[in-house]
Amino acid sequence: GIENPEKEIDGVTTTYDPCVVVASHVARILGKPGNDPEAHDRAKNKLAFAKYLKDAPPMSNYHSKPGLYIAENVKITCADDIRNALEGDNAVMTLPAVLKNTHGMCGMGVKLVSSVEEAVSVYEKMEEDLKRDLDSDWTGMSFGGETFLMEYLDGTEHDVDICMFKGELICALVTDNGPTRLPYFNETCAAMPSRRHKDEVDALIAGAHAVARAAGLHTGVYNVEMKYTSQGPRLIEINARLGGFYLTNWAQRVFNVNLIRCVVQVACGIRPVIKDVTPVPRTYCVGLQLYNSQHGDGLRPYVPKDESKISEEERLKQNRFRQLDADGSIIWIAMAPGLKDTPMEWEGAYANIGCSSTSHEDAAAKLLSVVRCMKLDSQAELKTDYFIKGLGISLETVRKGFVPVAPVKTV
């Protein structure tokens, strides 16, 4: 054990969402660098975070009020709260709207509703379904999660991954997310770097920086989910820790930024040294999130039933995607040990398959080649073409660069 933690420990951090709040409290107890635990308590509760920022003052006379980035939110404790929020002269938002869990992650417990009757029905059923189908960490039920109604935002969705040190913005990396499979909001596909105009990318970064600082999150690496709407950048939510899925891997490939090193450095009170706040990309990545319900039939011939029960050597031998990743053909990011026997309504991603190249179009062409030849989306409700088009990547250009490959056999 550690005899003198105050002297032998240099910093305290975590990248696992359910542990972020307790890690901030441990850091405070040990006198280590970090934010006030109250800031992390707020950030973990999506509704509390939005309510706090709605009335928060700007950082200075030269900055916008954080409330400008915040969508309308209403706490829901009963069906009448839904009716009052959506009906009558005192209604505060219009349909469609989004029902969300205050402490969920990865799109769990988030659903679009298009009528008052549907909103009431989903609300009354959602908590029971989440408790039955999922681990409490994923749904936030371990935190006593509550339900709230959020204004539905138009526009395009983006991840803004930022590194901050004592309020200073060290770097900001923007990724475009494709359309989700409504009425659910699980991530489907992505492109890094962002394809939006530089001014719009800068506006997204400014918004992410503003809400983090205003909420007291002055030191750390954060994943800020935003939309660029018809009214400009708006906040979906903030994850007060390192972004998950493929983001860390892509950040290294595309921008040569090691976000994990940044996490450790800021936790130890060291300012990361990154040449540019918005680095110049070295390559371009496009990827597809794979789900059991959409891609399970296509995946099963190429992956072992449960990777947690086999060695790293056997994983490489039995998983065709790991082989393709090892030889540089694709980027494979595993997120679950195996595919479920039966799909669930609320499901997490099994893996992400991506490709990189000298342009988004070339990367998308490579991705389409692999997906089609391996028939990954043959049973999917929406094909990969739909999501690539939703990223603003021209399918005509992609098809010109499409190079068929030989069918891939399992080992």
Side-chain angles (χ1 to χ4, degrees):
I2 298 175
E3 296 182 2
N4 194 339
E6 289 84 358
K7 292 183 179 180
E8 295 182 46
I9 294 176
D10 295 312
V12 179
T13 189
T14 182
T15 60
Y16 185 51
D17 195 87
C19 297
V20 170
V21 175
V22 69
S24 67
H25 283 276
V26 173
R28 169 56 59 86
I29 291 170
L30 296 179
K32 302 305 173 184
N35 310 303
D36 290 335
E38 292 78 9
H40 284 282
D41 284 328
R42 267 195 309 270
K44 182 58 182 166
N45 185 322
K46 298 175 176 63
L47 179 61
F49 189 79
K51 294 291 187 186
Y52 178 84
L53 288 175
K54 196 74 174 177
D55 300 318
M59 292 182 289
S60 73
N61 293 333
Y62 303 100
H63 290 88
S64 301
K65 293 181 64 175
L68 293 175
Y69 301 103
I70 305 305
E72 188 65 53
N73 295 275
V74 177
K75 182 178 180 179
I76 303 299
T77 59
C78 62
D80 284 343
D81 290 340
I82 294 176
R83 296 188 180 95
N84 292 335
L86 297 171
E87 294 180 325
D89 296 336
N90 296 322
V92 295
M93 64 177 69
T94 59
L95 290 163
V98 182
L99 272 176
K100 298 184 69 169
N101 185 282
T102 53
H103 290 78
M105 53 190 282
C106 303
M108 304 299 174
V110 186
K111 194 169 185 179
L112 185 73
V113 291
S114 301
S115 70
V116 174
E117 293 73 20
E118 182 185 13
V120 171
S121 175
V122 171
Y123 166 70
E124 292 176 344
K125 189 172 180 290
M126 183 184 289
E127 184 173 347
E128 178 186 345
D129 289 348
L130 292 175
K131 285 181 177 178
R132 182 187 68 243
D133 289 345
L134 291 167
D135 180 90
S136 59
D137 283 351
W138 281 75
T139 63
M141 294 298 181
S142 57
F143 287 83
E146 300 175 300
T147 303
F148 68 103
L149 197 65
M150 177 180 169
E151 170 191 359
Y152 177 67
L153 301 172
D154 65 2
T156 55
E157 186 174 335
H158 308 270
D159 283 301
V160 186
D161 292 281
I162 58 175
C163 175
M164 295 173 59
F165 187 76
K166 297 181 179 179
E168 178 189 0
L169 184 62
I170 303 298
C171 77
L173 316 176
V174 180
T175 306
D176 297 342
N177 292 326
T180 62
R181 293 184 184 88
L182 296 175
Y184 303 100
F185 289 88
N186 304 82
E187 187 170 332
T188 59
C189 66
M192 181 190 284
S194 174
R195 292 172 55 82
R196 295 207 71 118
H197 189 277
K198 181 182 183 303
D199 291 347
E200 296 169 337
V201 170
D202 289 345
L204 287 165
I205 293 171
H209 186 210
V211 298
R213 280 195 60 177
L217 298 170
H218 55 76
T219 299
V221 177
Y222 311 124
N223 172 249
V224 189
E225 298 179 28
M226 303 192 74
K227 270 197 165 184
Y228 200 96
T229 74
S230 54
Q231 298 177 320
R234 305 287 290 279
L235 177 72
I236 300 175
E237 61 190 48
I238 188 169
N239 300 302
R241 42 77 181 161
L242 182 72
F245 298 153
Y246 50 85
L247 288 168
T248 300
N249 181 295
W250 285 19
Q252 183 76 62
R253 290 172 183 269
V254 176
F255 296 111
N256 196 29
V257 172
N258 189 327
L259 289 174
I260 295 178
R261 181 171 60 196
C262 291
V263 169
V264 175
Q265 286 177 321
V266 296
C268 295
I270 301 169
R271 180 192 180 279
V273 177
I274 297 175
K275 182 179 178 181
D276 299 305
V277 173
T278 54
V280 176
R282 304 185 299 173
T283 187
Y284 297 78
C285 287
V286 176
L288 178 71
Q289 292 280 78
L290 301 173
Y291 293 91
N292 186 43
S293 65
Q294 305 297 315
H295 312 100
D297 290 345
L299 285 164
R300 282 187 178 84
Y302 303 108
V303 300
K305 186 173 180 59
D306 187 348
E307 288 194 325
S308 66
K309 298 179 180 180
I310 58 179
S311 66
E312 289 290 337
E313 182 180 358
E314 283 300 312
R315 290 182 189 183
L316 182 60
K317 182 178 179 181
Q318 297 181 37
N319 188 326
R320 185 56 176 145
F321 298 101
R322 291 187 182 276
Q323 296 168 20
L324 292 172
D325 177 81
D327 68 22
S329 299
I330 65 169
I331 306 165
W332 177 255
I333 309 293
M335 302 173 198
L339 291 161
K340 303 287 185 181
D341 292 331
T342 56
M344 300 184 300
E345 177 181 10
W346 303 99
E347 63 175 341
Y350 169 73
N352 181 279
I353 183 171
C355 292
S356 64
S357 191
T358 55
S359 70
H360 288 119
E361 287 75 16
D362 284 349
K366 288 183 178 180
L367 178 64
L368 271 176
S369 178
V370 175
V371 169
R372 289 175 179 173
C373 289
M374 302 182 83
K375 299 181 179 179
L376 292 183
D377 64 359
S378 59
Q379 302 300 317
E381 297 169 9
L382 296 169
K383 306 303 181 187
T384 307
D385 308 57
Y386 169 81
F387 298 109
I388 288 176
K389 185 177 180 180
L391 287 168
I393 299 174
S394 168
L395 288 177
E396 288 70 23
T397 306
V398 168
R399 291 187 181 108
K400 290 178 182 178
F402 180 78
V403 181
V405 298
V408 196
K409 297 181 180 180
T410 53
V411 174

